[in-house]
Amino acid sequence: MQRALLLLVAVASALSHCSMWHPSTFDCDRASINSAGNSQPLQDLPFSQWWWHNNLDCPPAAGQVFNLPANGQAVVELSTNKAFTSKANGGHKGMIQPNTPVPWTNDWTNIHAPARGDVAGCAFAISYKSDPRQVKPEDFVIFSVVHDCVARQNQTFNIPNLPACPNGKCMCSWFWIHKSIGGSDQMYMTPFVCNVTNVRSNAKAVDVAHAQAPRKCYDPTTCTMGPRNPMYWKNERREIHRETVTDERTANMPEDGHRAPTYSILYGWKEGAQKDIFVNTNPNNYTARAAPTEKKCTNSTVNPKAYGSRISSDKPATFLVDGGDAIISPNCRYVAYLQRDTGNLIVKNLTDQQVLWYGGVKQRGPRPLTLKLLADGQVNTYDSNGTVQWSTPMTQGLGKGPYHLDIINGGQLVLTDATQQHRWENFFFDDRENQFLSTSADPAVWRRRP
Ligand SMILES: *[C@@H]1O[C@H](CO)[C@@H](O)[C@H](O)[C@H]1NC(C)=O
Ligand SMILES: *[C@@H]1O[C@H](CO)[C@@H](O)[C@H](O)[C@H]1NC(C)=O
Ligand SMILES: *[C@@H]1O[C@H](CO)[C@@H](O)[C@H](O)[C@H]1NC(C)=O
Ligand SMILES: *[C@@H]1O[C@H](CO)[C@@H](O)[C@H](O)[C@H]1NC(C)=O
Ligand SMILES: *[C@@H]1O[C@H](CO)[C@@H](O)[C@H](O)[C@H]1NC(C)=O
Ligand SMILES: *[C@@H]1O[C@H](CO)[C@@H](O)[C@H](O)[C@H]1NC(C)=O
């Protein structure tokens, strides 16, 4: 009796932690009829434990593949527990509410997402390799996104014009990151064997060689990023003298805790099939072109010293020293400088004197502090001992030099590379991007910055 009760409790929640379930998945807990193995979140794990959900040794049975019909749709079953999937996917209770768009109206409240908009989107990635052990994190390209996932158990994904897989199979993975508001920072990854069917003769290769790490972009006109890797976040961390270090080789998202990156339009992910991931549709050609000319605030009341708005990696004379220099936005409304007392890099609104964001130093090093933009895309604040006290996160080697850092008319610092792609923007402490969201919880289009 007690055992039966426990079993009931164990399979009670259909959507809390989550995974896709299919015989094509890698799954070391396949034998369990009430498995929640693949739905376990991944956080703060070393690479060997989060990669492939630590299931590399447990491939699906021979011949088990998940078919992706090119230019068509694929349906997947999502659940915390395998029990609540259909028989075909190993379940024995079936989906509870396969098509409900609002699971929040019933008991399924534990998906770390207090509101529908907090589920924040899930995605499919593909690697054109048929040997799972050859797949590296940068081999996966996201090819389909559902912004309001996970909101229903029976989830349809739109498939773009994918080409055929080598040897009749590719490696795919389901990814999900919910917003941080639910109280935990984690990601989900469920790898599976897939195959592209209904291949058209005009299908071109996925431009995996140019796949980039996703980045948040406040202005949708800059969110034309082409093929991108999954968002690897919150893992591969090691503690060194109480300082948490992210290993940039495998984690690719720089977001701090409680600021989860999401498969939403905030990160440039369009709803549905990602059509710009192919060698013939990638909007980026990665050729360097001249940066637009630096514009300056010409109001001498605001800018008596005629400061510019830009720091450039190839102009060694452009750097900031604390307590003196500044860069001012062309519209004269925003300033960025190193604060004399703290050494923090401050972005301030000159209209109401609000600090919109700051990059805080690790410790108070000896003055003067200087801010420099290096040739490799790293922006560093150094104390006079030469110790780095603040850095842009994960911008080193992202894109091509020379780089420039501007304070723009919207009140943000923007790091741009020689291909004129944005590589970093500071966020706003007030999370104002939420105000750009339309009334829909999961807007298909990110509203343009006013
Ligand atoms: C799941 O979705 C597919 C595609 O919309 C549909 O054909 C199927 O009937 C759905 N299954 C259930 C159990 O609702
Ligand atoms: C994969 O799909 C191709 C068609 O693109 C087909 O020829 C091949 O048999 C499929 N392989 C498997 C294992 O189903
Ligand atoms: C690359 O794209 C830019 C912007 O669309 C364009 O101006 C440039 O001519 C292109 N360069 C090449 C080599 O295609
Ligand atoms: C210059 O800035 C001052 C202070 O903000 C403002 O009062 C003045 O109107 C500005 N002048 C012009 C020409 O915009
Ligand atoms: C600066 O460097 C010197 C020499 O390494 C060291 O003795 C000193 O403690 C450092 N000062 C600070 C404030 O870190
Ligand atoms: C700067 O302050 C003014 C006045 O409070 C406000 O209208 C404007 O939106 C602020 N700008 C930013 C980027 O927050």
Side-chain angles (χ1 to χ4, degrees):
M1 184 61 200
Q2 189 131 26
R3 283 195 64 160
L5 264 179
L6 277 176
L7 193 70
L8 271 179
V9 171
V11 299
S13 167
L15 283 170
S16 56
H17 299 153
C18 209
S19 177
M20 71 171 268
W21 299 93
H22 191 267
S24 64
T25 57
F26 288 71
D27 186 356
C28 294
D29 195 31
R30 205 184 308 278
S32 165
I33 60 162
N34 291 324
S35 176
N38 259 339
S39 61
Q40 289 311 299
L42 306 168
Q43 62 193 103
D44 302 324
L45 295 172
F47 182 72
S48 62
Q49 285 176 41
W50 72 259
W51 178 244
W52 226 260
H53 213 288
N54 204 8
N55 280 334
L56 258 177
D57 292 335
C58 309
Q64 290 292 357
V65 289
F66 187 93
N67 284 329
L68 301 168
N71 306 291
Q73 295 187 321
V75 183
V76 66
E77 291 185 22
L78 305 174
S79 181
T80 281
N81 196 298
K82 187 171 67 180
F84 293 105
T85 64
S86 61
K87 272 211 173 65
N89 291 327
H92 61 100
K93 290 177 174 284
M95 290 184 279
I96 298 176
Q97 281 183 275
N99 300 303
T100 179
V102 189
W104 290 266
T105 55
N106 60 31
D107 292 340
W108 310 351
T109 49
N110 183 28
I111 55 174
H112 302 294
R116 183 170 172 271
D118 302 327
V119 293
C122 71
F124 267 173
I126 191 165
S127 159
Y128 275 82
K129 289 185 172 174
S130 37
D131 176 358
R133 292 186 188 277
Q134 298 302 315
V135 179
K136 297 195 284 294
E138 61 270 28
D139 292 330
F140 273 129
V141 170
I142 297 289
F143 67 90
S144 188
V145 169
V146 178
H147 283 155
D148 73 349
C149 172
V150 297
R152 58 193 72 76
Q153 285 194 265
N154 189 43
Q155 181 59 59
T156 300
F157 280 86
N158 291 314
I159 314 300
N161 192 21
L162 293 171
C165 289
N167 312 312
K169 64 177 177 179
C170 287
M171 293 299 135
C172 284
S173 186
W174 176 79
F175 287 95
W176 174 45
I177 300 179
H178 55 72
K179 282 191 194 166
S180 295
I181 190 166
S184 48
D185 290 325
Q186 45 196 216
M187 66 168 227
Y188 294 79
M189 171 180 196
T190 306
F192 57 99
V193 175
C194 58
N195 189 28
V196 181
T197 57
N198 301 351
V199 174
R200 287 192 190 157
S201 57
N202 69 352
K204 294 283 193 291
V206 171
D207 196 1
V208 61
H210 284 126
Q212 311 184 61
R215 287 291 177 267
K216 192 172 193 171
C217 44
Y218 287 76
D219 181 349
T221 60
T222 67
C223 295
T224 47
M225 296 174 182
R228 284 175 296 158
N229 302 124
M231 303 195 288
Y232 302 121
W233 186 61
K234 273 286 153 192
N235 285 287
E236 182 69 74
R237 287 181 161 239
R238 47 204 165 97
E239 300 283 327
I240 299 174
H241 302 303
R242 283 205 243 126
E243 194 184 336
T244 305
V245 177
T246 302
D247 185 330
E248 302 194 5
R249 284 175 306 128
T250 52
N252 64 2
M253 299 306 290
E255 275 70 11
D256 294 340
H258 309 303
R259 295 187 176 274
T262 54
Y263 289 97
S264 66
I265 196 69
L266 263 173
Y267 284 75
W269 301 109
K270 297 200 173 73
E271 174 74 10
Q274 307 294 299
K275 295 180 177 154
D276 61 354
I277 62 173
F278 303 102
V279 290
N280 61 329
T281 59
N282 184 349
N284 305 314
N285 56 24
Y286 306 93
T287 50
R289 57 198 152 94
T293 327
E294 177 185 8
K295 296 201 183 81
K296 290 185 184 182
C297 161
T298 54
N299 182 328
S300 58
T301 312
V302 179
N303 192 8
K305 295 190 177 167
Y307 289 133
S309 61
R310 175 176 294 173
I311 292 172
S312 302
S313 66
D314 59 345
K315 294 195 179 107
T318 58
F319 59 88
L320 297 179
V321 177
D322 74 288
D325 305 333
I327 45 176
I328 296 182
S329 64
N331 63 3
C332 306
R333 290 194 195 141
Y334 306 98
V335 63
Y337 60 97
L338 290 183
Q339 194 172 40
R340 186 185 180 97
D341 301 337
T342 61
N344 294 340
L345 171 60
I346 309 273
V347 175
K348 192 157 91 177
N349 188 339
L350 288 169
T351 310
D352 59 10
Q353 303 300 311
Q354 291 276 339
V355 171
L356 295 165
W357 171 87
Y358 68 82
V361 296
K362 289 182 199 154
Q363 62 189 59
R364 200 175 291 203
R367 291 194 55 232
L369 286 99
T370 51
L371 179 111
K372 284 183 186 155
L373 171 47
L374 309 187
D376 62 2
Q378 189 76 51
V379 186
N380 286 338
T381 300
Y382 297 92
D383 64 23
S384 68
N385 263 7
T387 304
V388 176
Q389 295 291 2
W390 176 81
S391 286
T392 40
M394 292 190 193
T395 62
Q396 193 170 31
L398 196 63
K400 270 185 205 167
Y403 297 80
H404 57 98
L405 180 73
D406 293 81
I407 175 107
I408 63 165
N409 285 340
Q412 270 179 305
L413 286 169
V414 174
L415 177 70
T416 309
D417 78 352
T419 71
Q420 303 313 313
Q421 288 188 67
H422 292 188
R423 298 302 179 171
W424 174 77
E425 303 178 355
N426 69 270
F427 60 88
F428 291 96
F429 282 139
D430 63 7
D431 292 326
R432 64 189 48 208
E433 55 270 29
N434 295 327
Q435 90 189 348
F436 299 134
L437 293 173
S438 67
T439 48
S440 143
D442 309 288
V445 177
W446 183 230
R447 212 181 85 188
R448 198 167 169 175
R449 180 163 46 200

